[in-house]
Amino acid sequence: MELRTLGRTGMQVSPLCLGTMMFGVWGNPDVEESVGVIEAALDAGINFVDTADVYSWGGSEEIVGKALARRRDEIVLATKFHFPMGDGPHRSGNSRRWITRAVEESLRRLGTDRIDLYQVHRPDPETDLEETLSALTDLVAAGKVCAVGTTTFPAEEIVEAQWVSERRGLVRFRTEQAPYSLLNRAAEAATFPTCIRHGLGVTTWSPLSEGWLTGKYQGEIDLSQGRQAAHRANFDLELAGNRRKQATVGRLAKLASDAGLTLMQLALGFVRNHPAVTSVLIGPRTREQLDGLLAAADTVLDADLLDRIDDCVPPGTVLNPADAHYTPEALADPALRRRNGVGAPVAPSWERRGPSAPPNA
């Protein structure tokens, strides 16, 4: 595969990044099979692997560490912190106290002495950005982390972080990992232009929109198990946004068929086309899924087809607001939207931060 420079880090990465959320108890619990999928991806030319401490509650990092044991120096390795890794207020978030512990636990599970890209998995409204960046600066200085980035940060917080880094002489966030697909084009409006202005590398996740863009969710959707049960708001057809998604997938499938493509080829070709995007995360659970994703990954869409996609899903559109995967504190807490501060009791942020079901990415 061709290699691209990841923002201004100087690190060269493949245009596909292997996302490993589905390795472990959340997806494929067979360790040896999961290791085999990772090795096959590396053999195919992928040199960029992304995980997170919370994936399978540390299990994904352990599987990645086992797979990379003999090939560590060939790979750009990324992981994340933020979501709860245990009970209580001090095993989650973006505080110095948690970061300094979380990184050591990730290093141990990954079996490595450094993390090439350490990412903040979500914003933390109760922790000052300077606190987070100061802790990350110390990790870079200690050689435990090479570069730092964010995941699913709104554009205004990306800008604020750049300002804090410049004013305080702290390490800069060098990447943003944003949800982006044919059904969720919200990043095009502000996130991508902001990343371009500040020289951030962009990785994107959920290019198949949690499986919607494989065409599997036509007709009734079983909400009783699996991803559909865990992330009901993204699948429940009682919600207008999901009905819009289902209808739009039908139109996109026809566009793909008319162009001689599969729906998955259309989906991956679209995401890779955006000039802001450095690398697209793919998240196979099995070798068969990996092979299908690799076969679709080189698709190039011409201008006419891209215009027809724009007619179907206008630029900047997100069909279901739940697919944004992040709700700002100002919207989550009613008291912050009412002058007298009256609102339903809101749990501490560390409790709200904690997913009762696995986070989407």
Side-chain angles (χ1 to χ4, degrees):
M1 292 187 186
E2 62 174 310
L3 295 180
R4 301 172 175 178
T5 304
L6 184 61
R8 294 175 180 167
T9 66
M11 290 186 286
Q12 301 290 307
V13 298
S14 51
L16 291 182
C17 174
L18 182 67
T20 63
M21 187 175 74
M22 299 309 295
F23 299 143
V25 295
W26 288 8
N28 188 345
D30 187 319
V31 173
E32 293 306 318
E33 184 179 346
S34 297
V35 167
V37 175
I38 296 172
E39 291 176 339
L42 304 186
D43 291 341
I46 292 176
N47 80 333
F48 192 11
V49 178
D50 177 272
T51 186
D53 54 5
V54 74
Y55 295 166
S56 293
W57 318 122
S60 173
E61 286 188 328
E62 291 176 350
I63 290 170
V64 169
K66 184 173 183 179
L68 299 187
R70 298 180 181 178
R71 305 175 70 166
R72 175 65 184 91
D73 288 340
E74 303 172 23
I75 305 304
V76 175
L77 177 59
T79 193
K80 315 178 191 77
F81 68 90
H82 169 83
F83 286 110
M85 289 296 288
D87 295 331
H90 298 303
R91 287 193 58 79
S92 65
N94 303 345
S95 68
R96 174 181 285 272
R97 174 169 176 158
W98 174 234
I99 290 169
T100 54
R101 182 169 181 180
V103 72
E104 296 297 339
E105 294 182 5
S106 286
L107 288 168
R108 174 182 53 79
R109 286 188 292 264
L110 290 165
T112 186
D113 62 353
R114 73 185 188 284
I115 295 165
D116 298 317
L117 177 62
Y118 201 36
Q119 300 159 105
V120 188
H121 213 155
R122 290 294 189 278
D124 178 358
E126 293 193 353
T127 303
D128 195 293
L129 272 169
E130 182 175 352
E131 175 83 2
T132 301
L133 287 163
S134 176
L136 293 173
T137 298
D138 289 347
L139 295 184
V140 172
K144 295 178 180 181
V145 170
C146 297
V148 297
T150 56
T151 299
T152 320
F153 266 49
E156 63 271 19
E157 295 211 31
I158 295 173
V159 173
E160 182 181 354
Q162 295 293 311
W163 182 88
V164 170
S165 293
E166 182 176 348
R167 290 291 298 268
R168 304 303 186 197
L170 300 173
V171 68
R172 292 179 182 271
F173 289 132
R174 294 297 189 184
T175 63
E176 160 62 11
Q177 186 178 117
Y180 185 49
S181 73
L182 283 165
L183 303 181
N184 178 10
R185 301 181 60 174
E188 295 172 341
T191 300
F192 287 173
T194 297
C195 290
I196 290 172
R197 282 197 300 273
H198 291 279
L200 272 65
V202 172
T203 59
T204 63
W205 57 274
S206 199
L208 300 181
S209 193
E210 299 178 83
W212 279 90
L213 292 167
T214 65
K216 66 188 291 186
Y217 297 119
Q218 296 301 306
E220 293 301 313
I221 298 175
D222 181 3
L223 301 174
S224 66
Q225 58 186 343
R227 183 188 292 267
Q228 301 92 282
H231 302 136
R232 190 183 182 98
N234 304 106
F235 294 95
D236 188 353
L237 293 178
E238 292 294 316
L239 301 177
N242 291 323
R243 294 196 298 274
R244 285 193 294 270
K245 282 159 60 175
Q246 194 171 70
T248 301
V249 167
R251 294 195 295 272
L252 290 169
K254 186 176 187 308
L255 284 182
S257 178
D258 291 346
L261 302 172
T262 66
L263 182 57
M264 190 160 67
Q265 285 177 314
L266 186 78
L268 289 176
F270 171 79
V271 174
R272 285 192 59 185
N273 177 77
H274 198 287
V277 175
T278 307
S279 189
V280 177
L281 269 74
I282 56 172
R285 183 174 54 84
T286 65
R287 177 64 185 272
E288 181 181 12
Q289 291 177 355
L290 173 66
D291 291 343
L293 288 161
L294 291 173
D298 291 332
T299 305
V300 176
L301 309 184
D302 63 29
D304 178 66
L305 183 52
L306 290 168
D307 287 342
R308 283 184 283 160
I309 289 172
D310 286 350
D311 290 338
C312 187
V313 186
T317 298
V318 55
L319 298 178
N320 178 6
D323 290 345
H325 302 294
Y326 171 69
T327 302
E329 191 83 348
L331 301 181
D333 185 349
L336 298 179
R337 294 181 275 106
R338 300 170 184 176
R339 186 175 293 276
N340 60 7
V342 175
V346 176
S349 68
W350 65 270
E351 291 183 1
R352 297 198 303 280
R353 185 184 304 127
S356 56
N360 288 25

